Each structure stands twice: as C-alpha cells, then as structure tokens.
C-alpha cells in the first residue's frame, strides 16, 4: 500500500499525503480565523486544543509542507496560513457545470463556494426539462440533452453531480466522455466512468455526518441512562 | 490531549476513538456493498485496497469494535457489517427540524438521509416568512417566529441549520434554548450556544471537499505540465 502518497508538489519537491491533504481545508479555516484575530504565533499544543487533533498529528502534517516552526517558538501564523493558502491556492480559469438543477443544485449555485475558489459556474443542466431556458443568479439552465453540444464549445473542468442516484452512472459517463476532468459527486453512488482512468472524483456523503451526530446523541443518551442507573 | 477517546460503549465496555467513529460510516458503506455481493470473508489487505486506507489502520479501527478476524482468515463480512450497523444503529424516535426552508433545507428534506436513520423530520422553519403555511413532502413549513412555541409541544432532538451564516449564532442559541440536543450545522460558522455545554454540534463544510477536488485538478495540471517540460 503505497498510494498513501499521491501528490507531488514540484516547486519544493515535497510530498503531501492524501490524508494530510484532506485535513488542509480545516487548517486553512482555523488559521484564517487566527490571522483575522491578529495572532502572530501559535504552538502545536494550542492548535491541537483548538482543532481537537493531537499535537503530534499537527507536527506530522505541517512537516510535510515545509520547515515552519522553531522548537519552543511555535508556528508563524501568517506564514503558515500563506503556505497552506498557496498549496490549496485559487487559480482563476477553472470552470464547472451542475447536473442537475434540482433543489441541491440550486442551493449549491447560490452559495459562495465556487466564487471563493475562483471557479466559474457556466450552467446548470436540467434533466427533467421544464426548467431549461430559465436562470438562477444569471447562470443559465440548459436541457441535459444539450450537454455534449455545450461541452464542444466550452471548456468544462468540473461536473457537479446532484442528480438522482439512479442516473449517476449514465450521467458521469457522459460528463467524462465530454472531457470533464473532475466530478464533485453528491449522488451517493461510487462512480467509475469507463475509459477515463485519469478522472478525479470527490465524493460527498452527507449521510456520514448525520450518522455521526445520531451516534453521539444515542451515546449521550446511554451515558445519561447509565448515570441515572448508578444513582 | 486525552479527548481522543470520547465515547464509551457500555454494553461490551469498549472504547471507540473519535477518529475511528468518523471512519465507521465509510466502513458501513463498503461492507454493505460486500454483503450485497454475497461476499463471506475479506482480508484487511483487500479492504485496504478497496477503501484506500492502510491495512494497519483498518486493523486498528476494527480492533476497537471487538474481536473479529482470525489471523490469516480475514474478517467475517456479515458479522462485521452487523456489528458496525449495531454501533451506528438506527433507533426509532429521534426527531429533527430544519431551519430554514431555503433551497438547501428543501433539498435535504427530499433526500432519504433522515428516513434511513429513522429520524422523523417534524417541520421546516421559514425565516423569510412567505413560505410558512405550505408543505414539502407533507412536512409543514412554519414561521421561524413560532420555533419556541413548537418546541414546547414537540420533542425536538436535532436542529438542521441551513440558514444564512449571519443568522447562525442567533438561531443556534434559540434552538439550544428550546432544548434541542444536537445541531447539524451547514452554516459554515463555528457555533457555541451559551449555557449548553452538552450540546452536540456536527459541522458540514461542503467547501472542504471542493477545495480538495480543485487541488487535485491543479496538481494533475502541474504534473502534466512538468511531464511535457521533460519531453
């Protein structure tokens, strides 16, 4: 199992593991808050407490990104934030389409998620057909039957899949055949478009965090129950 | 840092770490697929390959749940799935309300996420006011001004917060004051309702996985660029 190390940053010849990459957006959010508060330095112990991650995990993650803190002095907050922003950095010119234009698709297009990443949402595609011709936030809704024609005349990097899971395989295959390079997958289905081994798929499983919340509530119930039983 | 160990399962007196709990829904999904395929046994090596997690991580996670596999024989798929289902298990009677009834709230209520967990969504609350009195999937939309009155006559375990982030603090405080025990937080804001140290908050940061997708696409670009440069 060596595919824990997937990514190579060529500039500084460093390797960042998949699991560390997955944690970077969280570091990004906490550090942004510290920068806004005007903090200059932070120890791995304090960051550990804030983020509820062990200090050794933090040191191991940040060591992969370069040489930051000096023993006993803590991390330079601004420099660390800048470095993580660079790695996760925004590059203009990335484009996306959303398939389809149901409530979830419409909800996503109205967030600032794409704008903040410099990703330009070109269109929503409508599978049902009665929404095509309208627009949301000036982004046109187009009939799904026109996906291929659209992709011939527009460079589309990312397809955001919010369609029903029954359609997930067929639509992801069509998107990949159209030259889409990445899929942000909300369908709950594992996707394997044939003939496109390079395609990058990022799955969002909303149910996972509901399971965790539900589990924690039930565990709390049990604890409270057993405390009562012990009285 | 000892709060890595948060949860105690009283039945068998086992402890499951926070990070393992966070991975259980993924095990659940992969094992469900294996059960559906009729698989009887699976080695940690094969599970590792499927899930892209190290085999030692898998053994460490599963060891916390009890005594499963026998060295060299692999794990009993059905038994493991049953055990994880039990731990994450559905218990009838949990209730939720969604605040507010914008696109994201409406999208969530139309998924099977709650039904699959046995969670009964009682109502959507509408902050703007012009949707109150209508319903989605037979779930009533009620004016947000009536949240307190509603909670006096209904037991509400979970508040799903899909409101704009500017309202997140105020609404989470109101929900907590109403006796809500858990918040599924889509607002992107860290929430700390005062006077409710026991409240459980599960944050969903949709932007995190978009950052990761974006990062992977840009890394692929760079790799392809440097390959070309090496030709």
């Amino acid at each position: 199992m060596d595919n824990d190390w997937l990514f190579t940053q060529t500039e500084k010849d460093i390797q960042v593991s998949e699991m560390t990459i997955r944690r970077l957006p969280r570091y990004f959010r906490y550090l942004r808050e510290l920068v806004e508060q005007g903090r200059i330095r932070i120890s791995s112990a304090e960051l550990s407490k804030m983020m509820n991650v062990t200090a050794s995990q933090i040191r191991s993650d940040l060591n992969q990104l370069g040489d930051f803190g000096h023993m006993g002095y803590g991390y330079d907050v601004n420099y660390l934030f800048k470095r993580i922003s660079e790695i996760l950095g925004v590059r203009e010119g990335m484009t996306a389409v959303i398939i389809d234009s149901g409530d979830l698709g419409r909800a996503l297009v109205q967030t600032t998620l794409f704008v903040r990443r410099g990703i330009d949402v070109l269109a929503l595609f409508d599978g049902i057909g009665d929404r095509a011709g309208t627009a949301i936030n000036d982004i046109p809704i187009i009939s799904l039957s026109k996906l291929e024609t659209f992709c011939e005349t527009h460079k589309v990097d990312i397809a955001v899949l919010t369609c029903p899971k029954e359609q997930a395989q067929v639509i992801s295959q069509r998107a990949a055949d159209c030259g889409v390079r990445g899929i942000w997958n909300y369908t709950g289905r594992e996707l394997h478009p044939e003939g496109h081994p390079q395609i990058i798929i990022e799955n969002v499983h909303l149910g996972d965090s509901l399971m965790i919340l539900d589990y924690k509530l039930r565990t709390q119930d049990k604890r409270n129950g057993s405390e009562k039983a012990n009285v």
Side-chain angles (χ1 to χ4, degrees), chain A:
Chain A
M1 270 310 284
D2 236 346
N3 55 357
D4 222 24
W5 297 88
L6 285 175
F7 306 106
T8 309
Q9 283 267 316
T10 45
E11 309 93 313
K12 299 200 175 182
D13 204 30
I14 56 163
Q15 288 195 306
V16 186
S17 78
E18 166 84 16
M19 292 317 290
T20 298
I21 290 296
R22 300 212 153 266
R23 284 187 286 264
L24 285 189
R26 260 193 99 209
Y27 286 108
F28 177 84
R29 280 189 272 109
Y30 280 91
L31 286 163
R32 184 173 55 195
E33 211 167 288
L34 289 168
V35 168
E36 283 168 8
Q37 290 167 9
R39 282 291 299 272
I40 305 293
R41 297 203 154 269
I42 190 160
S43 65
S44 56
E46 193 183 347
L47 204 52
S48 152
K49 207 171 163 190
M50 274 177 69
M51 295 181 60
N52 195 19
V53 173
T54 63
S56 73
Q57 177 76 77
I58 286 175
R59 286 191 296 267
S60 149
D61 283 340
L62 300 185
N63 277 345
Q64 290 177 42
L65 310 183
D67 189 14
F68 295 115
H70 299 278
M71 204 58 106
Y73 286 86
Y75 294 104
D76 180 325
V77 169
N78 282 293
Y79 181 59
L80 192 54
F81 178 65
K82 197 170 150 249
R83 182 76 187 108
I84 291 177
S85 307
E86 270 170 23
I87 292 172
L88 291 173
V90 170
R91 194 198 61 169
E92 297 293 325
M94 200 75 90
T95 58
V97 298
I98 299 178
I99 311 170
D100 61 27
S101 59
D103 291 301
L104 184 55
R106 288 208 303 277
L108 289 175
V109 85
Q110 290 179 79
T111 65
T112 58
L113 294 171
F114 300 99
V115 173
R116 282 206 311 249
R117 305 292 311 150
I119 297 168
D120 194 9
V121 179
L122 304 177
L124 286 95
F125 284 89
D126 177 33
I128 303 170
D130 60 349
R131 296 190 201 106
T134 62
I136 302 172
N137 283 11
D138 294 328
I139 296 167
I141 303 181
I142 301 171
S143 164
L144 184 56
S145 63
K146 295 184 180 154
L147 178 66
E148 284 75 10
T149 327
F150 185 87
C151 290
E152 281 171 17
T153 51
H154 298 78
K155 178 186 80 82
V156 178
D157 297 304
I158 298 170
V160 184
L161 253 60
T162 59
C163 60
K165 61 175 182 290
E166 294 73 21
Q167 301 166 19
Q169 289 301 352
V170 172
I171 292 181
S172 63
Q173 186 67 49
R174 283 177 62 188
D177 291 343
C178 282
V180 160
R181 300 162 49 224
I183 294 179
W184 198 23
N185 178 24
Y186 279 83
T187 67
R189 280 281 157 90
E190 295 278 326
L191 302 176
H192 307 282
E194 281 173 34
H196 303 282
Q198 291 270 348
I199 201 162
I200 295 170
I201 296 171
E202 186 63 30
N203 298 312
V204 182
H205 291 287
L206 296 176
D208 284 8
S209 75
L210 183 61
M211 269 197 205
I212 291 165
L213 177 61
D214 185 29
Y215 171 83
K216 288 183 177 179
L217 286 172
R218 285 182 299 106
T219 311
Q220 199 178 55
D221 283 348
K222 263 184 226 158
R223 254 202 317 262
N224 293 343
S226 65
E227 273 165 26
K228 275 179 204 151
N230 289 334
V231 168

